[in-house]
Amino acid sequence: MNPLDAILKPKSIAVVGASRREGSIGREILHQLLEFNFHGKLFPVNPKADFIHSIKAFPTVSAIPDPVDLAVIVVPREEVLGAVDDCGKKGVTGLVVITAGFAETGEEGKRFEARLGERIRQYGMRMIGPNCMGVINTDPAVRMDATFAPTLPLTGRIAFMSQSGALGIAILNIARQLDIGFSYFVSMGNKTNVSGNDLLLHWEDDPQTDLILMYLESFGNARRFMQICRRISKRKPLLVVKSGRTEAGARAASSHTGALVARQGLDVATDALFEQCGVVRVNTVEELFDLALAFSKNPLPRGNRLGILTNAGGPAIMATDAAIARGLSMANFSERTRHELRRLLPPEASIQNPVDMTPQSDRSKYDACARILLEDDGIDMLLVVFVPPMLINAMDIIRGLEQLRPKYLKPVVGVIMATDDFFVELNRDYPNHMALYIFPESAVNALVALDRYRVWREKPVGEVKRFDVRNGMAEDLIQECRRQGRGQMTAEESLRLIGCYGIPIAQSTAAANPEEVERVAEGLRYPVVLKAVAPDLVHKMDAGGVLVDIRGPEELRAAVQRMTESVARYRSDKGGTGSLGFLIQEYVRGGREVIVGMIHDPKFGPVVMFGLGGIYVETMKDVVFRVPPLTDLEAREMIQQIRGYSLLRGVRGEQPVDHEALADVLQRFSQLAEDFPDIAEIEVNPLLVFPQGSDFRAVDARVRLGS
Ligand code: ADP
Ligand code: MG
């Protein structure tokens, strides 16, 4: 038995706090359970009533003679713990706590919730809520609507979880109007015990569910979510509205990575996470339903070649523009298709894609043309546009398409520019009809989502490599820094740290002062680079703290002199004091500058970034984000997804940068980010990259430890 079965597939339910009072939640829940014909036994619990809704009531759960699987609790907050104890005595294992007034209300509520959570664990129960609007299972063998939403759900194959109760009510209402049915609906509330991840696991193998929709405001455990979704999305599409821009925890960002993340919020990380686990992210509930329609009524396309059939030019042109802009391709028709269309349609019709049949086309024309297009192997999906002219019955057109559609394993969606009345009539006469939209862009948007999901399904999974690294040495470096009470590692230490993970670094020598530079000057291999080292010099270039291509000891002395002066000038402008140290580094000539960064958000975990590097990172903002652990495929994708990718591929006969070596660096970096959750930020900028991986050199790095 699945651990959530007591909640989601109960054979008997007690409603604790059931009431006769009109408008009370305790009445509404009982009412909905009855209205929806709950398939099991129902027990109202209320110490003050003998019967409710003509059903015998019990004073307590433990007074019920029959076994009880699920208790739905609607009593006031102060009585919830007592009710839980009563359920415990009875051996109830599933709870849905509707009652509000917990963590969502502040400190006192948080304490209540902590106690509730603790109690539930002690009894080994599972609980949805508190502060939720209930659960639904439409399975004919269960038929449970334990919500206080006034709309009764339609049966379907979509499971829905919502983190907002109010929105949940609206969603049930809209879904009904749109003729969308559910297998399950769960309002998660505060997620004290049962999390979104638990529900996903429950639905993963659920035979009633083909498609999973989520409205999320926060992640409990983002990494676990990613693992679970990666697996499920290969079998069932997952559509998510994620609202609530997550503020980046790394506010005190001292790197480009931190600054870029802080500016955009953790939304970039959320996007990355969804993309990495095949979750389709949508921005609005409206879009969620648009996509749910297309996904639930269609097979996946085989490719991205779209055919459009219309009776009016305008909307078809809009659809074409939207399709091309979003990455679909307009199908080229076969010789045969063109021949048949020509034979069938009047001379003023267009037999190119989009096929414009002209306004007088009736059902027989639609039927015949749709059939021709669906037969064409060069077309992967079909969009049918119908602008109702007078005299031609839209319902007829739909009827025709409905008969045709099941014969072909291709997505077919429609755009009907009709009134609300039409759709009401349509849903009544043709429940479960094809996905229809009022506007062409919405229809195209849905097809694009189907196609992207197809690409995800076809994509190999990739592999997370574990590299042999010197993590003990890295740990020592971090501990030493902590012992000295420093949160910021020097550039030299930072380079050593990434070096422990096999990321190639420029040879570097630290010198605490000009005398130490003098001591090593004669023995160096020139040319070298001289850099200023001090805690206040975050971006050394700004202070004149980087001098390159120094050819010998004499030049090095002069460089030390010049750098000391420019840093002094910089400090007198900006403020800043302290001793000035130096770093002498091999000079790495040529190469492309890239940046590899990581921030560790306290809630979200590590996020890695890759992009074009150097001193213009924040100006160019040409970076992409991913959530580690990175697979080999994801590392390669990161490289190819930056806007300036052509610079790495090579322009005008240049040799391409060694992609494999670069992907290798990214994966090693990802391992580093994962191994040390106490590192708040790492930034390697620049890493100089070349056509030969063996020439790669990181020349600057900064590591900030978490507090
Ligand atoms: P900061 O980022 O603190 O200003 P960097 O050490 O990144 O200082 O140096 C700034 C720029 O100087 C780099 O982007 C790179 O173009 C160049 N540079 C730094 N070190 C080297 C080196 N060892 N070899 C070649 N160029 C270098
Ligand atoms: Mg730098």
Side-chain angles (χ1 to χ4, degrees), residues 76-317:
R77 184 184 72 175
E78 281 64 24
E79 295 166 28
V80 170
L81 282 182
V84 170
D85 286 335
D86 184 29
C87 290
K89 216 186 311 168
K90 174 74 188 159
V92 176
T93 54
L95 292 183
V96 172
V97 179
I98 308 282
T99 311
F102 291 87
E104 77 280 8
T105 59
E107 283 311 313
E108 199 207 355
K110 268 199 191 121
R111 281 194 296 276
F112 263 99
E113 188 166 321
R115 274 169 43 212
L116 174 60
E118 187 49 42
R119 197 70 61 93
I120 297 288
R121 261 191 307 281
Q122 280 166 4
Y123 285 117
M125 299 166 165
R126 299 307 317 259
M127 171 185 73
I128 286 183
N131 183 33
C132 75
M133 56 155 291
V135 298
I136 293 174
N137 179 355
T138 63
D139 180 350
V142 181
R143 290 204 64 89
M144 163 179 66
D145 178 353
T147 72
F148 55 91
T151 321
L152 287 174
L154 297 171
T155 303
R157 306 191 54 79
I158 302 175
F160 197 125
M161 65 170 98
S162 175
Q163 210 176 329
S164 154
L167 195 75
I169 296 184
I171 283 169
L172 286 174
N173 195 5
I174 298 167
R176 172 110 209 178
Q177 281 169 33
L178 292 175
D179 194 36
I180 292 179
F182 296 112
S183 54
Y184 295 89
F185 178 90
V186 174
S187 159
M188 295 188 286
N190 295 0
K191 303 195 285 190
T192 312
N193 180 265
V194 172
S195 67
N197 290 343
D198 294 330
L199 287 170
L200 284 172
L201 290 174
H202 188 87
W203 291 335
E204 175 171 17
D205 293 314
D206 181 71
Q208 322 270 31
T209 302
D210 295 335
L211 173 63
I212 298 173
L213 309 191
M214 297 174 247
Y215 170 82
L216 295 182
E217 285 167 358
S218 66
F219 294 112
N221 182 340
R223 300 167 59 69
R224 181 100 180 97
F225 177 83
M226 186 159 107
Q227 280 172 355
I228 295 171
C229 291
R230 244 195 193 133
R231 194 177 63 226
I232 299 182
S233 64
K234 290 284 179 185
R235 294 169 54 200
K236 301 182 179 184
L238 302 164
L239 312 184
V240 174
V241 195
K242 168 75 177 63
S243 78
R245 288 178 79 82
T246 325
E247 287 294 306
R251 268 279 162 243
S254 63
S255 63
H256 297 296
T257 314
L260 284 169
V261 171
R263 203 169 305 149
Q264 308 174 54
L266 270 176
D267 233 36
V268 285
T270 309
D271 275 337
L273 182 134
F274 287 152
E275 190 182 330
Q276 284 173 267
C277 58
V279 167
V280 182
R281 185 181 193 174
V282 299
N283 293 312
T284 61
V285 174
E286 184 181 7
E287 199 186 348
L288 183 69
F289 280 128
D290 280 351
L291 266 51
L293 271 174
F295 275 88
S296 60
K297 310 272 168 117
N298 287 295
L300 289 179
R302 286 249 207 54
N304 74 343
R305 297 164 304 176
L306 172 68
I308 301 181
L309 181 64
T310 184
N311 66 347
I317 292 168

Side-chain angles (χ1 to χ4, degrees), residues 403-425:
Q403 281 170 17
L404 200 56
R405 220 160 51 90
K407 301 195 181 97
Y408 301 89
L409 275 171
K410 295 180 182 185
V412 182
V413 304
V415 170
I416 293 214
M417 300 184 114
T419 58
D420 287 351
D421 293 347
F422 170 78
F423 286 97
V424 171
E425 197 183 329

Side-chain angles (χ1 to χ4, degrees), residues 659-679:
H659 281 47
E660 278 314 300
L662 186 49
D664 185 81
V665 168
L666 291 173
Q667 290 168 86
R668 288 173 179 276
F669 189 81
S670 150
Q671 186 174 332
L672 171 62
E674 282 227 293
D675 285 354
F676 293 98
D678 56 335
I679 300 180

Side-chain angles (χ1 to χ4, degrees), residues 2 11 48-49 67 99 116 179 193 269 301 456 512 522 627 642:
N2 194 297
K11 296 195 167 57
K48 294 186 205 116
T99 311
L116 174 60
D179 194 36
N193 180 265
W456 162 259
E522 296 295 336
V627 178
I642 58 171

